[in-house]
Amino acid sequence: MKKDIFIGILVGLIANSIGLILAATLLGGGDDFTTVIKAAAKEGFLGKLISLGAVLNLIAFFVFIKKRKDYRARGVLLITVILAVCTFVFKLF
């Protein structure tokens, strides 16, 4: 059970990282990833960029639900909630 939740957390982190890279690349206007992230942090929309990256977690969650891997889906959901809290904190400060 704990192993499956940990696998779900890893999949959620990887999916979010890939989504963040894709969002930064597509919305970056030709700039490289680090430039886009620095500009997003400076201009205050890093939380929105992280939220866009979390869209891939939705796909991973439903794949695990479809395959009846409920504990892995729980891990993806857990990391998604943690990312939502982080996004909220970014908005406050």
Side-chain angles (χ1 to χ4, degrees), residues 49-85:
L49 203 57
I50 292 172
S51 296
L52 280 174
V55 170
L56 290 182
N57 285 357
L58 184 67
I59 295 169
F61 177 77
F62 282 115
V63 166
F64 285 142
I65 291 293
K66 182 84 171 167
K67 291 184 176 183
R68 299 190 142 317
K69 303 284 185 181
D70 294 337
Y71 288 108
R72 291 183 183 186
R74 189 179 292 181
V76 173
L77 184 62
L78 178 67
I79 201 67
T80 305
V81 169
I82 290 170
L83 287 169
V85 170

